[in-house]
Amino acid sequence: MTQFSKRWSDPALVATCDVMDRLFQPMTAADGIAFSIGSPAVEALPVDALREISQDVFRRDGRGIEALAYGTKMGIRDLREIIASELLAPKGVHTSADNILITAGGLETMKLLCDIFLDPGDVILVESPTFVHCVMIFQIFNAVCIPCQMDNDGLIMEDVEAKIQKYHPKMIYTVPTFQNPTGVTLSQDRRQKLAELAAKYDVIVIEDDPYRDIRFQGKDLLPIKTFDEAGKVVLANSFSKIFSPGSRLGYVVAPDDIMDKIAYAKVATNSHSSKISEVLAAEFFKRGYFPDHLKRICAIYRERCAAMMEALDAYFPEGTKHTYPDGGLFTWAELPGDIDTTELLKETMDKLHISFVAGRGFYVEGGDAGKNCMRISFGAVPPDKIYTGIKRLGDYIKTKL
Amino acid sequence: MTQFSKRWSDPALVATCDVMDRLFQPMTAADGIAFSIGSPAVEALPVDALREISQDVFRRDGRGIEALAYGTKMGIRDLREIIASELLAPKGVHTSADNILITAGGLETMKLLCDIFLDPGDVILVESPTFVHCVMIFQIFNAVCIPCQMDNDGLIMEDVEAKIQKYHPKMIYTVPTFQNPTGVTLSQDRRQKLAELAAKYDVIVIEDDPYRDIRFQGKDLLPIKTFDEAGKVVLANSFSKIFSPGSRLGYVVAPDDIMDKIAYAKVATNSHSSKISEVLAAEFFKRGYFPDHLKRICAIYRERCAAMMEALDAYFPEGTKHTYPDGGLFTWAELPGDIDTTELLKETMDKLHISFVAGRGFYVEGGDAGKNCMRISFGAVPPDKIYTGIKRLGDYIKTKL
């Protein structure tokens, strides 16, 4: 019988992975409506732009050799430069390309940070509820995840500080803008406070900010990183929502001492990210496709979010609470009464062919936390299906009350 | 001061990473000749094919949405199916697409296998000399690498068995075909014997076989995997040498019980590999580009290898021993006298603008092992530069004797 490592022989870990696997399963029924998936709208994928770009890129006198050859651990330079000038500087983050490394998607950054920072038993403060895929990675590294309270302005700093003092965490993990799963955004003053706490207590803050640019109303907020005078904030971002998840591109912004180690961990993971993806993405930004593309996709999500808000207010039972996101792909609903969304999901999948993600999975505290909650994605579902699906779902929930 | 994990606070590990970083530095001088790099020939990169393919792929009625959207942890199905039918079955490896996972390059497989198999202090048997990038990964996982003796037919099985009995290793790591760094190939009977030893002693064999298809003379040998009746051999391969390193695509073939865990480790690393790369690669194989492409690139490497053999025999000092590879990208030379190639390299980089990789780095035993050896790549250097470069290098070495 094959012997695995102690970690991967642990039935609890394997069970967690199994749960994760099922949690985000797509709806396969032909008439199904998937409010479960966190994917961008298919209409938001820049297919035509990439056909145009690829015609020039895949030439020997273009960037064909570069795209197909080995690269460097940091990623191609012009992509990192345009990230600095076009995606970071306008948000107030002023950094050199040398402090940006291209990852194979946003999640890989979490893996690399765990590699370099975590010893077994180390504590990570996470949001309650939090993004479960990252928690799975933290658990694989034998980290102890401690949940911190949130309200409609994101993490509550008094609770964060109390838990820093009590648990001495190595890291604080937050999705500050249009959070996954709730859609909630951390307020400006709390962003500043979180950077100050990181400095005061020498804790690393992972600012995971993939939804930031998908803002369709409200005022842009400064990233936590802009308040980072002590070099304790690592900014993680992704091209999945603003360009293409299939490109598997993300980036991490870190101070020199941290970046040196991230870079080595990247080499030891997979040498570097896909050069084909990197060159196509670099050309997408350098040729100026991005500003119009972003306007177009924000309009798509604005319309879908509005449809979702209207449908939830109209069709979900009285007493339902849900968030009103200013951006991103998700809303979060809390049902009235004694409904268990984990049970509900089985029935709606089976009878209505409608999926969402049950709330429990997003709470590291376990027990009944999130029992009556659900993450509802509007990003990948067209408005007419949002109305139809939410009406059917709401009607069904009402029969349970 | 930022606290890293115990592992990444170890100066020895950081030193290893620094050495690795410098080991494979490209020649940047304009007149430089890099016998150091293990890259494919730029002439072997299928630039034109990818321009044609990308025109059809990046369409909404083509595979544009698929290429740009999220995928599944295993990788796209048709790529895995064509790997099974076109790359594995003709070599005698009969497997289902369910036992193949697409990785972000060959090296990532080593990382995933370390994730699921290794506890700190576990032993891995490696070749002497061996592929250093993998050893770096093994060291990050706190594995103890024990070198096994090789001759011109690869690993010596008596030594492997003795070291299995002595050290009870978790894994045996081998590059059986046109080995990196020596170019040596493990003989057929030893391949069978190694699979038998793995079964007998319950040890995992990692068969890392990225050069296998780059054969330009001699008879094809069966992969170790074909002798694996006990499910102890994990086959790792890469598209870097036969398609494009920039695509960052590789694949791993493993029995069900191992594959289940590899797949979860992959999710926890970066969800899945680049879908853009996967779809382009799948179309490259499905449209039938591969057979002619392979013939063409083998012809390139055959010519370069022949030039290298001729040049070494003509220009290197008497008493030099080197391998005569039947395929791949490397040869390995052992210099006469008391020459230290680590010192030599500094001088040839500086004075001749010629690089190679000094032998020492490939020996986990340390000390003076490989002191007078060098890995010389012929894959990325055109024949005329091979003659010029090897003559200049040989002449310089002669002045040292």
Side-chain angles (χ1 to χ4, degrees):
Chain A
M1 170 120 170
T2 298
Q3 280 300 309
F4 295 98
S5 60
K6 285 195 188 73
R7 194 69 202 117
W8 284 92
S9 304
D10 178 359
L13 178 67
V14 175
T16 301
C17 293
D18 284 339
V19 168
M20 291 286 306
D21 227 30
R22 281 195 302 272
L23 208 56
F24 295 91
Q25 263 176 10
M27 279 300 309
T28 47
D31 63 339
I33 299 178
F35 295 122
S36 51
I37 57 174
S39 308
V42 293
E43 296 83 354
L45 300 173
V47 176
D48 297 324
L50 284 177
R51 188 174 61 256
E52 290 168 26
I53 293 166
S54 63
Q55 274 317 282
D56 298 334
V57 161
F58 291 123
R59 291 186 183 275
R60 286 191 181 267
D61 56 359
R63 301 183 72 174
I65 301 292
E66 182 191 6
L68 299 184
Y70 278 114
T72 59
K73 59 192 178 187
M74 301 296 288
I76 60 173
R77 182 139 199 119
D78 62 339
L79 180 58
R80 292 184 287 124
E81 282 170 351
I82 206 152
I83 287 169
S85 63
E86 198 154 329
L87 295 175
L88 294 172
K91 306 286 174 182
V93 179
H94 299 284
T95 186
S96 140
D98 294 333
N99 292 92
I100 300 171
L101 179 140
I102 308 295
T103 58
L107 203 66
E108 195 178 84
T109 299
M110 307 311 143
K111 169 77 168 174
L112 298 174
L113 294 176
C114 287
D115 274 335
I116 66 167
F117 282 120
L118 291 190
D119 292 310
D122 278 348
V123 170
I124 303 179
L125 302 189
V126 301
E127 291 161 332
S128 173
T130 184
F131 178 44
V132 278
H133 272 103
C134 288
V135 168
M136 182 178 96
I137 295 178
F138 300 154
Q139 288 178 343
I140 288 172
F141 280 85
N142 272 303
V144 177
C145 293
I146 302 290
C148 294
Q149 293 164 33
M150 293 174 73
D151 61 20
N152 277 330
D153 286 322
L155 276 173
I156 297 169
M157 288 303 122
E158 292 70 23
D159 193 48
V160 170
E161 184 161 13
K163 282 172 179 159
I164 291 174
Q165 291 170 343
K166 181 167 179 192
Y167 296 104
H168 309 289
K170 191 66 95 51
M171 305 200 282
I172 302 170
Y173 172 70
T174 177
V175 181
T177 320
F178 319 133
Q179 194 228 17
N180 184 354
T182 62
V184 157
T185 294
L186 189 68
S187 65
Q188 186 90 297
D189 58 329
R190 293 190 188 178
R191 290 168 184 243
Q192 181 167 358
K193 178 72 181 173
L194 189 56
E196 288 165 8
L197 290 177
K200 179 174 176 188
Y201 294 100
D202 194 9
V203 185
I204 297 295
V205 169
I206 308 179
E207 179 176 25
D208 186 12
D209 215 11
Y211 308 103
R212 182 188 64 198
D213 291 307
I214 311 294
R215 174 180 284 280
F216 33 79
Q217 63 201 20
K219 190 171 148 282
D220 220 12
L221 300 182
L222 290 170
I224 303 166
K225 183 70 187 163
T226 59
F227 302 105
D228 178 35
E229 286 170 19
K232 298 296 170 191
V233 179
V234 177
L235 176 58
N237 214 315
S238 163
F239 285 107
S240 292
K241 307 306 183 276
I242 58 170
F243 176 65
S244 148
S247 72
R248 292 284 76 211
L249 292 178
Y251 59 94
V252 51
V253 183
D256 291 341
D257 60 333
I258 299 176
M259 184 55 83
D260 287 348
K261 291 190 163 50
I262 292 175
Y264 284 140
K266 174 66 179 172
V267 171
T269 300
N270 44 33
S271 302
H272 57 79
S273 300
S274 167
K275 286 281 289 299
I276 295 178
S277 292
E278 286 184 9
V279 171
L280 292 174
E283 289 294 323
F284 180 80
F285 284 90
K286 287 174 76 174
R287 289 170 185 225
Y289 284 97
F290 182 62
D292 283 350
H293 174 74
L294 184 63
K295 261 182 230 153
R296 198 173 65 77
I297 69 175
C298 283
I300 293 172
Y301 296 126
R302 181 185 297 114
E303 185 190 18
R304 291 179 182 194
C305 183
M308 178 61 78
M309 296 300 109
E310 193 176 77
L312 285 173
D313 290 341
Y315 304 127
F316 262 41
E318 209 171 323
T320 299
K321 293 180 206 158
H322 66 84
T323 54
Y324 291 85
D326 287 333
L329 309 176
F330 311 112
T331 186
W332 179 257
E334 193 181 329
L335 299 180
D338 194 36
I339 294 177
D340 182 333
T341 53
T342 309
E343 295 305 314
L344 177 71
L345 176 62
K346 288 179 199 154
E347 298 174 33
T348 65
M349 289 273 282
D350 193 38
K351 294 181 186 166
L352 310 180
H353 300 167
I354 292 176
S355 65
F356 53 85
V357 187
R360 271 200 176 94
F362 298 100
Y363 287 86
V364 297
E365 43 271 66
D368 271 351
K371 179 190 158 193
N372 62 333
C373 298
M374 54 210 288
R375 188 191 80 173
I376 310 176
S377 307
F378 50 79
V381 187
D384 59 326
K385 286 204 168 184
I386 288 176
Y387 288 112
T388 320
I390 293 298
K391 179 165 195 321
R392 274 155 62 189
L393 197 53
D395 288 347
Y396 189 82
I397 294 168
K398 287 173 188 166
T399 68
K400 298 276 154 188
L401 291 171
Chain B
M1 169 120 170
T2 298
Q3 280 299 310
F4 296 97
S5 60
K6 285 196 187 70
R7 194 67 202 116
W8 284 93
S9 303
D10 178 358
L13 179 66
V14 176
T16 301
C17 292
D18 283 340
V19 168
M20 290 285 307
D21 226 31
R22 282 195 301 272
L23 208 55
F24 294 91
Q25 263 177 8
M27 278 303 307
T28 45
D31 62 339
I33 300 178
F35 295 122
S36 51
I37 58 173
S39 309
V42 292
E43 296 82 356
L45 299 173
V47 175
D48 297 323
L50 284 177
R51 187 174 61 255
E52 290 168 29
I53 292 166
S54 62
Q55 277 316 280
D56 298 336
V57 161
F58 291 122
R59 290 183 183 277
R60 288 193 178 267
D61 57 358
R63 301 184 73 175
I65 302 292
E66 181 190 6
L68 298 186
Y70 278 114
T72 60
K73 59 191 176 188
M74 300 296 287
I76 60 172
R77 182 139 200 116
D78 63 339
L79 180 57
R80 293 183 288 124
E81 281 170 351
I82 206 151
I83 288 169
S85 64
E86 197 154 330
L87 295 176
L88 294 172
K91 305 287 175 183
V93 178
H94 300 284
T95 187
S96 140
D98 295 333
N99 293 92
I100 300 171
L101 179 140
I102 307 296
T103 58
L107 203 66
E108 194 178 84
T109 300
M110 307 312 142
K111 168 78 168 174
L112 298 173
L113 294 176
C114 288
D115 273 335
I116 67 168
F117 282 120
L118 291 190
D119 292 309
D122 278 347
V123 171
I124 303 179
L125 301 188
V126 300
E127 293 161 330
S128 173
T130 184
F131 178 44
V132 277
H133 272 102
C134 288
V135 168
M136 182 178 94
I137 295 178
F138 300 153
Q139 288 177 343
I140 289 173
F141 279 85
N142 271 304
V144 177
C145 293
I146 302 290
C148 293
Q149 293 163 33
M150 294 174 74
D151 61 19
N152 277 329
D153 287 323
L155 276 173
I156 297 169
M157 288 303 123
E158 292 70 24
D159 192 49
V160 171
E161 185 160 13
K163 282 171 179 160
I164 292 175
Q165 292 171 342
K166 183 168 177 189
Y167 295 104
H168 309 287
K170 191 66 93 54
M171 306 200 282
I172 302 170
Y173 172 70
T174 176
V175 180
T177 319
F178 320 133
Q179 194 229 16
N180 183 354
T182 62
V184 158
T185 295
L186 189 67
S187 65
Q188 186 90 297
D189 59 328
R190 292 189 188 178
R191 288 166 184 245
Q192 180 165 358
K193 180 70 181 176
L194 189 55
E196 288 165 9
L197 291 176
K200 181 174 174 186
Y201 294 100
D202 194 10
V203 185
I204 298 294
V205 169
I206 308 178
E207 179 177 24
D208 186 11
D209 216 10
Y211 310 102
R212 183 188 64 198
D213 291 306
I214 311 293
R215 174 179 283 280
F216 32 79
Q217 63 201 20
K219 193 171 145 279
D220 221 11
L221 300 183
L222 291 170
I224 303 166
K225 183 71 187 165
T226 61
F227 302 105
D228 177 35
E229 287 171 18
K232 298 295 171 192
V233 179
V234 177
L235 176 59
N237 214 315
S238 163
F239 285 107
S240 292
K241 307 306 183 277
I242 59 171
F243 175 65
S244 147
S247 72
R248 291 284 76 209
L249 292 178
Y251 59 95
V252 50
V253 183
D256 292 341
D257 59 334
I258 298 176
M259 184 54 83
D260 288 348
K261 292 193 163 52
I262 291 175
Y264 285 140
K266 174 67 179 170
V267 172
T269 301
N270 44 33
S271 301
H272 57 78
S273 301
S274 166
K275 286 280 289 302
I276 294 178
S277 292
E278 287 184 9
V279 170
L280 293 174
E283 290 294 322
F284 180 80
F285 284 90
K286 288 174 76 176
R287 292 170 183 224
Y289 283 99
F290 182 63
D292 283 350
H293 174 75
L294 184 62
K295 260 182 232 156
R296 198 173 66 76
I297 68 175
C298 284
I300 292 171
Y301 296 126
R302 182 185 297 113
E303 185 190 17
R304 292 180 181 194
C305 183
M308 179 61 78
M309 298 298 109
E310 195 176 74
L312 286 173
D313 291 342
Y315 303 126
F316 263 41
E318 209 171 325
T320 301
K321 292 181 208 161
H322 66 85
T323 55
Y324 290 85
D326 287 334
L329 308 177
F330 310 112
T331 186
W332 179 257
E334 193 182 327
L335 299 180
D338 193 36
I339 294 177
D340 182 332
T341 52
T342 307
E343 295 303 316
L344 177 70
L345 176 61
K346 288 179 200 156
E347 298 174 32
T348 66
M349 290 273 281
D350 192 39
K351 295 181 187 168
L352 309 181
H353 301 167
I354 294 177
S355 64
F356 53 85
V357 187
R360 271 200 176 95
F362 298 100
Y363 288 86
V364 297
E365 44 271 64
D368 272 351
K371 178 190 158 192
N372 61 334
C373 297
M374 54 210 288
R375 188 190 82 172
I376 311 176
S377 306
F378 49 80
V381 188
D384 60 325
K385 285 206 168 182
I386 289 177
Y387 288 112
T388 319
I390 293 297
K391 180 165 193 318
R392 274 155 62 189
L393 197 53
D395 287 347
Y396 190 82
I397 294 168
K398 286 174 188 165
T399 68
K400 299 275 157 188
L401 291 171

